[in-house]
Structures are given as structure tokens and as C-alpha cells.
Amino acid sequence: MSAVSTYPVIERGTPASRISAIAVVVIIALLAVAPHFLSAGAVDRMTALFIYVILAAMWNALAGFGGLVSVGQQVFFGLGAYFAIRLADAGLNPFASLFVSAIIVGAISWPMSLFMLRLRNGEFAIGMWVIAALAHLLVNLDRLVQGETGTSLISLNVYDAGARRATIYWLALAAMTALLAILFGLLRGSTGAAIRAIRDNEDAAASVGVRVTGTKRLLFVLAAFGIGMAGALWLATSITFQPKTYFNVQWTAYMIFMVLVGGIGTFEGAILGALLFFLIETWFGGTGVWYLIGLGATALLFSLFLPRGLWGTLEERFGLRLLPVGYRVRLPANTGDADTTAASHETTAQREKA
């Protein structure tokens, strides 16, 4: 008769997660060839979906995993589009300008983090909104932009419409895939454990040797780069640039909605939330103000009745983990399961002592 283990088992990968990893590769491969079979309108909509996934994943990384709640991330979205306009006007290939502009946004976010990360909680959130408003005003002063009249990425018009649409689609797909892969790898490593430790208790994390400021800065810059890339890609799909559109707080509101509905602090939740937002926009986006009212009401209902979002609730009730970034401690029989991270799981002896 075999003895039943009285020690917890720490696991990360599951059969479902291994199957999902294969499914992700297959889905990306299918998406890569999709422009050859989809209509022009469908290609444009799928490009928008990829951009929404980037926005949701980056805000979730900053707030859901890092605890840095911001209502001013539109500053990076707007700057990503603005620098793409500026670089293309200077003679750089318009497609190359999309990527270079994101690098510039990431570079700008580093010195910005030197003083913004000194703020905490509500101060940080409002401070980011103030920075976004200031950036909006400064961009309006550029004669190329012509104030709120705006300008266009006219250098894209020299390309055939079909080729341009497919190229932007593939760039958006590549950017989404690369950013999700970078974020996934970051969260699964020791840096990811440090990020979640800072979110849970910044002072306690610092007391055990976590480089709090450096870790937060890394997350801040990554989110800025990703959102800047999303802004540049959105510009490529719409061609026109008007500061009041790109620096509008609605972009951050969309990010918050996607993460809140999908499941804040879960890797899969941001992707699911982006997909749900995309479907809602596709079906109800033409209803005008009622569409915005519906989004607000939906967010309120989720906050009240499903605070962990759809994926967070499914994960909690059924233990479903498709893209796990943390560890799970499987306790002995009749004690249930619990999720934790590499930085915070307890041993059996510690539990008994407690």
C-alpha cells in the first residue's frame, strides 16, 4: 500500500497549458496567412484586434501585475503616432517609422519614470493623466501637426492599398506576438516574481532584496514601448493624425475596460478582454453614445459581481490555466489547491508553524 504524500507539490505547467502552447503556435500560423483569404474589411478589423490585445496586455502588465494603476497611458499612444508622423516627414520609410517611433517613446519613458515612479497609488494615476495632457499641448505647438487640425501619414499613400493593408496587418501581428512573448517570458522568470511581490507589498519586497525601483522602471518602459507601438500602428490604419483623438483619455478607458472584464492580473484575461471588447465594438460600435453607456455599465457590473473578471473567475472556480506565469501549490488530499508565485509559496513546515 503506497503512502499518501503529506507535502505540497509545486507545479507550473499542466496538460492544458502544454496543449494551449501548441494551439497558440497554430493560431499564429493561421493568422499569418489569413490576409490571403480575408476581405479587405476583415483584414482591417483583425488589425484593430491585434492593437487592442497590445493595449490590454501592456496596461495589465503595468497595473495588474505591477500594481501601477495609470489613467494617462494615452500619452504613449499619442506619442507613438506623433513620432511616426515626424519620422516619415523627415524621410524615413513609413513602415520603419512605426517601429522607430515606438523605440523613441520607450526611450522617453525612461527619464519620465525617474520622477513618476516616486508617486504612489492615486498620485501616480493622476500624475500620468497630467503628463498626457501636457504632451497633448506640446504636440499641438508643432507646425507640422497644425494644432487640432492635424496631419496625415501621406507617405503611405504611395503604396498599393492591398499591399499596404496586408503589410500593416503583418506588422501588427508580429508586434502583438513579440510583445506577448516578451511579457510572458518576463513574468515567468525571477523578474516576474519580483514584479508581483512589489505589487503585493512594496516595502516587504524591498526588505528581502528586490530591486523595487529598477523592476518598476523596466515594466514602465516596456508598457510605454508597447503602447507607443500600438499608437503608431493605429495611425497606419487610419492615416490621419489629430492630437485630440490620439491623446484622448478614452484609450486608457478602453484598456481598463478590457483588463477589468477579462481578468486583471491574469495573462489570459487581457487577451480575452481585448477579444470581448473587439466583438462589442464590432456589433454595437455604430450605436453612438449608447455604445459608451453600455461599456460603462458593463464595467460597473463586472466590478460589482465579477471583480476578478471572466478569466479570473474561471481560473478560481475550475483551476483552468492555459498560459501560467506563476506557480501552483497543490496541497495534500482534501485541502484544495492554491496559486502562488516562486517568490511567495510556503513550505508545509511554515504552514504548521503559522
Side-chain angles (χ1 to χ4, degrees):
M1 182 176 178
S2 60
V4 178
S5 174
T6 59
Y7 296 96
V9 177
I10 300 174
E11 63 180 16
R12 172 180 280 175
T14 64
S17 67
R18 287 185 279 272
I19 294 173
S20 66
I22 298 173
V24 166
V25 174
V26 173
I27 290 171
I28 293 174
L30 292 175
L31 290 174
V33 300
H36 298 296
F37 307 100
L38 297 177
S39 65
V43 170
D44 287 338
R45 292 303 300 152
M46 289 301 295
T47 303
L49 173 60
F50 300 154
I51 295 173
Y52 290 153
V53 171
I54 293 173
L55 292 174
M58 293 299 101
W59 196 87
N60 188 45
L62 190 69
F65 288 103
L68 296 169
V69 178
S70 168
V71 293
Q73 293 305 97
Q74 67 271 17
V75 62
F76 303 123
F77 189 84
L79 289 177
Y82 168 70
F83 284 120
I85 286 281
R86 260 294 169 195
L87 291 167
D89 182 71
L92 185 65
N93 178 281
F95 293 116
S97 70
L98 304 180
F99 180 71
V100 177
S101 68
I103 295 178
I104 295 175
V105 171
I108 289 175
S109 71
W110 190 88
M112 186 187 300
S113 70
L114 295 178
F115 57 90
M116 289 308 303
L117 292 181
R118 295 176 181 270
L119 306 177
R120 292 193 181 186
N121 304 322
E123 293 177 345
F124 175 80
I126 300 302
M128 287 302 302
W129 180 83
V130 172
I131 291 293
L134 290 174
H136 181 186
L137 293 174
L138 290 174
V139 168
N140 273 343
L141 298 177
D142 191 335
R143 293 183 178 180
L144 176 65
V145 177
Q146 305 176 70
E148 293 299 351
T149 302
T151 184
S152 300
L153 191 62
I154 55 176
S155 55
L156 277 180
N157 292 330
V158 302
Y159 295 92
D160 173 74
R164 181 181 68 210
R165 180 177 290 108
T167 301
I168 296 170
Y169 172 96
W170 283 318
L171 286 174
L173 175 61
M176 178 192 72
T177 303
L179 287 167
L180 288 178
I182 292 170
L183 181 60
F184 186 72
L186 185 69
L187 292 174
R188 280 177 68 89
S190 58
T191 302
I195 288 171
R196 290 186 288 274
I198 293 169
R199 174 196 62 190
D200 295 338
N201 192 316
E202 186 172 316
D203 295 329
S207 70
V208 296
V210 173
R211 295 177 60 251
V212 173
T213 302
T215 302
K216 290 166 65 175
R217 181 169 294 123
L218 173 63
L219 201 59
F220 186 85
V221 172
L222 175 62
F225 171 81
I227 294 173
M229 188 77 232
L233 288 167
W234 193 269
L235 170 68
T237 63
S238 62
I239 303 297
T240 59
F241 174 76
Q242 290 181 301
K244 64 182 178 182
T245 298
Y246 286 81
F247 287 94
N248 196 316
V249 72
Q250 74 174 13
W251 291 107
T252 297
Y254 291 161
M255 297 179 215
I256 295 173
F257 176 86
M258 290 185 281
V259 173
L260 182 65
V261 171
I264 189 169
T266 63
F267 191 84
E268 304 92 335
I271 300 172
L272 177 60
L275 178 59
L276 290 173
F277 175 75
F278 170 78
L279 293 175
I280 292 172
E281 183 187 60
T282 301
W283 293 333
F284 305 107
T287 59
V289 68
W290 288 107
Y291 162 68
L292 298 176
I293 293 174
L295 288 180
T298 302
L300 178 61
L301 290 174
F302 269 82
S303 298
L304 292 173
F305 302 108
L306 288 177
R308 293 200 62 193
L310 288 176
W311 189 262
T313 302
L314 290 174
E315 187 178 75
E316 183 178 43
R317 292 184 180 179
F318 305 106
L320 186 61
R321 304 167 79 235
L322 299 184
L323 298 171
V325 294
Y327 294 103
R328 163 182 293 178
V329 176
R330 188 174 295 280
L331 302 175
N334 300 323
T335 59
D337 292 338
D339 285 336
T340 186
T341 66
S344 63
H345 69 267
E346 299 174 322
T347 64
T348 303
Q350 288 172 324
R351 290 180 184 275
E352 292 175 351
K353 183 177 179 181

